[in-house]
Amino acid sequence: MAVDYTVIVVYLAGMLAMGWWGMRRARSKSDFLVAGRRLGPAMYSGTMAAIVLGGASTIGGVGLGYQYGLSGAWMVFTIGLGLLALSVFFSARIARLKVYTVSEMLDLRYGGRAGVISGVVMWAYTLMLAVTSTIAYATIFDVLLDLNRTVAIILGGSIVVAYSTLGGMWSITLTDMVQFVVKTVGVLLLLLPIAVVKAGGFSEMKAKLPTSYFDPLGIGGETIFTYVLIYTFGMLIGQDIWQRVFTARSDRTAKWGGTVAGTYCLAYALAGAVIGTAAKVLYPKLGSPDDAFATIVKDELPVGVRGLVLAAALAAVMSTSSGALIACATVANNDIWSRLRGAVRGGGEDHDEVTGNRAFILVMGVAVIGTAIALNNVVEALTVAYNLLVGGLLVPILGGLLWKRGTVQGALASVIVGGLAVIGLMAGYGILANEPVYYGLLASLAAYLVVSLATRPTDETVLAVWRERLAGGNPELVSEPVPAHQ
C-alpha cells in the first residue's frame, strides 16, 4: 500500500498548494467569490463537471449500478440533463446579470424583499450538500487508511476548508481542474475497463445477471420521474451551480462550456452504472450497494492504480464539498448577515470584503465538519435539502426568468407556501417519500400564480433595470419586447 499512500499524499499536498497559489490571485470580492468572472471554455467546462459529479455521483452511482444494473445510471444522468438544460436555456442570461447569489437575482427581478427568506432556504440546502459530501470522506479513508469515522471527516474536511478559505473560488477552480483530470483518468480510463475485464466482459455479465440489469428502465418509471424533479430541476436553481455560471468570462462560454460539461456527466453516469454492474458479478452478496465502489477498488486494482482511483474518489467528493462550502458561505454573508446587519445599522459594507468572505468560509467550514460528525442519516438530510430547494425556490426563480407578470408578493408566497408544504408533507408521508416534493411544488406554483395575479404588476422601472441586466449591456436585447419566456 506504500505506493497508494504516496499517490494520495501527493494529491492532498497538491490541493493545499493550489489553495496557497489561489490566495495570491484573490484580491477582490469578484476574484474571491466568482474567480473574477474570467474563466474560459476549458477551465469552465472542467470545473462545472467537477462540482456536479461528487461522492454521490461516484460512490452512489456505482452503488445504484450494483443494485439495479444499467438503469442505475438515471440519478447521475438526470444531473447531466439538468446541467444541459441550464446551459442551453438559462446560463447566458444568468451570466449577464453579474450578481453573486440566486437571492440577488430574485431581488433584481422582483424589486427587493425576497432576498432574506430565499437566502435562508438556499443556505440550508448548500449547508446540507456540503455536509453530505464531507461525510463521504469516512468511506474513502476507511478503505485507504482504516481511519476512525470522525478522524476521516476531520482530515478530509480540513483540507477542503483550508484551500477554500485561502483562495476562495480561484483556489477551488484550480483544484477542481486537477480533480476533473484525476476523475477522468481514475474512473473512466482505468476503473471502468478494468472492472469490465475482471467481470469477464459484457457477455459474461449478461450470462450471470438477471435481464432486468440490462433494462434501461429497470429502476422504475416513478423513480426516474422523481430524479428528474429533484436533480434536473435542482441543477437549474442551486447556488453552488449558479456561482460557477458566474465565473464564465462570457455568456457564450457559460452556454457552450456548460453543454460540454453536461455531456460529460451523461458519459460518467453510464460508466458508474457499468462499474456497479461488474461489481455485482464479482461480489454478488455485498452488505450494502454503496460498498461496491470501495470493494472493487480495494480487491481488483493493481498497486498504484488503486491509489489513483481512490484519489479520483477523493477528487469527486472534494470538488462538490468545496463548491457547496463557498456557496454556503456566500449566501450566509451576502444574503443573510449583510442584509440583517444593514437593517440594524442602516447599511454599509466591510472595507475588506475578501477578509470578510474568507472568515465566513472558515466559520461555515467548521460548522460543516461538526454537523457531518454528528449526523447519521445522510440520505434523509440530503432529501430534506433538495425538497426544500425545489419545493420552495424552483417556481419563483424560473417564474422570474420566464413570466413577466410574476410579482414580489407572488414570489414570497411561493417560497413560504412551498417550503411549509414540503416540511408538513415530509412529517406526514415520511422524509424519503416522493409525495412531499410533488405536492409542495404544486402548492408553490399555485401560490405564485394566484398571488401574482391578485397583486399589482412589478413596477416598470424595476423590469427595465432587469431587462438591461439580462441584456448584458447589449442595446439590441434591451430594446426588444419582453417575450413570455423572458
Side-chain angles (χ1 to χ4, degrees):
M1 293 289 287
V3 176
D4 296 327
Y5 293 157
T6 302
V7 172
I8 297 295
V9 169
V10 169
Y11 168 75
L12 294 177
M15 295 301 99
L16 292 174
M18 292 287 184
W20 184 263
W21 191 78
M23 181 176 66
R24 302 177 63 182
R25 303 196 64 171
R27 298 174 180 174
S28 68
K29 179 180 179 180
S30 177
D31 287 335
F32 194 82
L33 295 182
V34 290
R37 307 187 195 274
R38 296 201 298 269
L39 297 192
M43 290 194 74
Y44 180 85
S45 298
T47 58
M48 182 62 87
I51 187 177
V52 300
L53 297 173
S57 300
T58 304
I59 299 171
V62 172
L64 287 171
Y66 182 89
Q67 189 172 2
Y68 298 105
L70 298 186
S71 67
W74 272 106
M75 183 188 78
V76 183
F77 201 81
T78 55
I79 290 173
L81 292 178
L83 185 52
L84 284 171
L86 174 71
S87 301
V88 173
F89 299 113
F90 299 108
S91 63
R93 281 181 280 176
I94 292 170
R96 289 196 294 263
L97 290 174
K98 303 297 183 186
V99 295
Y100 291 100
T101 68
V102 174
S103 295
E104 286 182 40
M105 168 264 168
L106 291 173
D107 278 352
L108 184 65
R109 165 60 180 83
Y110 294 111
R113 297 179 300 187
V116 173
I117 294 176
S118 61
V120 170
V121 175
M122 189 64 76
W123 175 79
Y125 158 73
T126 53
L127 177 72
M128 296 315 302
L129 184 61
V131 165
T132 52
S133 299
T134 302
I135 290 173
Y137 297 128
T139 301
I140 299 168
F141 282 114
D142 177 59
V143 174
L144 184 65
L145 303 172
D146 196 24
L147 285 180
N148 172 272
R149 176 181 183 273
T150 299
V151 174
I153 289 172
I154 292 174
L155 175 60
S158 297
I159 292 170
V160 170
V161 172
Y163 72 69
S164 300
T165 302
L166 285 172
M169 187 59 84
W170 266 122
S171 294
I172 292 171
T173 297
L174 295 170
T175 54
D176 276 359
M177 278 306 298
V178 176
Q179 290 160 355
F180 170 74
V181 173
V182 171
K183 275 193 289 192
T184 301
V185 174
V187 175
L188 294 183
L189 302 184
L190 292 176
L191 183 57
L192 174 61
I194 290 173
V196 172
V197 170
K198 291 282 187 178
F202 284 103
S203 58
E204 188 70 14
M205 290 162 63
K206 286 184 176 182
K208 290 187 175 181
L209 294 173
T211 54
S212 62
Y213 268 71
F214 302 92
D215 179 358
L217 304 179
I219 199 170
E222 184 178 354
T223 299
I224 295 171
F225 178 73
T226 303
Y227 284 159
V228 170
L229 200 60
I230 293 178
Y231 296 114
T232 301
F233 285 126
M235 287 294 105
L236 297 180
I237 58 175
Q239 169 67 24
D240 52 323
I241 309 302
W242 276 41
Q243 200 156 342
R244 293 309 173 97
V245 175
F246 301 151
T247 66
R249 72 183 178 199
S250 68
D251 52 9
R252 183 177 177 84
T253 297
K255 181 175 182 178
W256 296 111
T259 301
V260 171
T263 305
Y264 177 89
C265 291
L266 302 184
Y268 200 89
L270 184 59
V274 171
I275 292 167
T277 304
K280 184 66 175 180
V281 173
L282 295 168
Y283 311 99
K285 296 183 179 180
L286 288 178
S288 168
D290 285 342
D291 292 337
F293 179 88
T295 303
I296 198 169
V297 169
K298 189 175 183 179
D299 293 349
E300 302 297 336
L301 299 186
V303 172
V305 174
R306 179 170 48 204
L308 184 59
V309 173
L310 286 172
L314 273 176
V317 175
M318 284 183 165
S319 55
T320 300
S321 181
S322 59
L325 176 59
I326 194 171
C328 178
T330 303
V331 170
N333 188 11
N334 288 264
D335 294 339
I336 302 175
W337 171 247
S338 294
R339 294 168 192 261
L340 295 177
R341 183 189 57 196
V344 173
R345 296 184 180 180
E349 293 186 352
D350 295 331
H351 291 295
D352 189 348
E353 292 180 323
V354 172
T355 299
N357 282 292
R358 185 173 281 138
F360 264 87
I361 289 183
L362 182 59
V363 171
M364 289 297 106
V366 172
V368 164
I369 292 172
T371 307
I373 292 171
L375 199 64
N376 289 320
N377 198 318
V378 182
V379 176
E380 289 190 358
L382 194 60
T383 301
V384 170
Y386 268 102
N387 282 354
L388 281 173
L389 177 71
V390 174
L393 291 180
L394 179 68
V395 170
I397 291 172
L398 293 189
L401 290 168
L402 300 173
W403 191 41
K404 180 182 177 181
R405 186 61 179 80
T407 66
V408 66
Q409 294 88 350
L412 286 170
S414 179
V415 174
I416 294 169
V417 171
L420 292 177
V422 164
I423 292 171
L425 290 165
M426 283 191 294
Y429 284 99
I431 290 176
L432 298 179
N434 293 327
E435 288 82 0
V437 71
Y438 294 167
Y439 300 141
L441 193 55
L442 289 175
S444 177
L445 177 61
Y448 182 72
L449 294 174
V450 171
V451 175
S452 290
L453 292 173
T455 52
R456 294 184 62 181
T458 304
D459 190 275
E460 185 57 35
T461 57
V462 172
L463 291 177
V465 172
W466 167 253
R467 288 195 294 269
E468 185 177 352
R469 292 286 286 272
L470 273 181
N474 186 336
E476 294 182 4
L477 293 177
V478 176
S479 63
E480 290 179 359
V482 181
H485 70 270
Q486 186 165 310

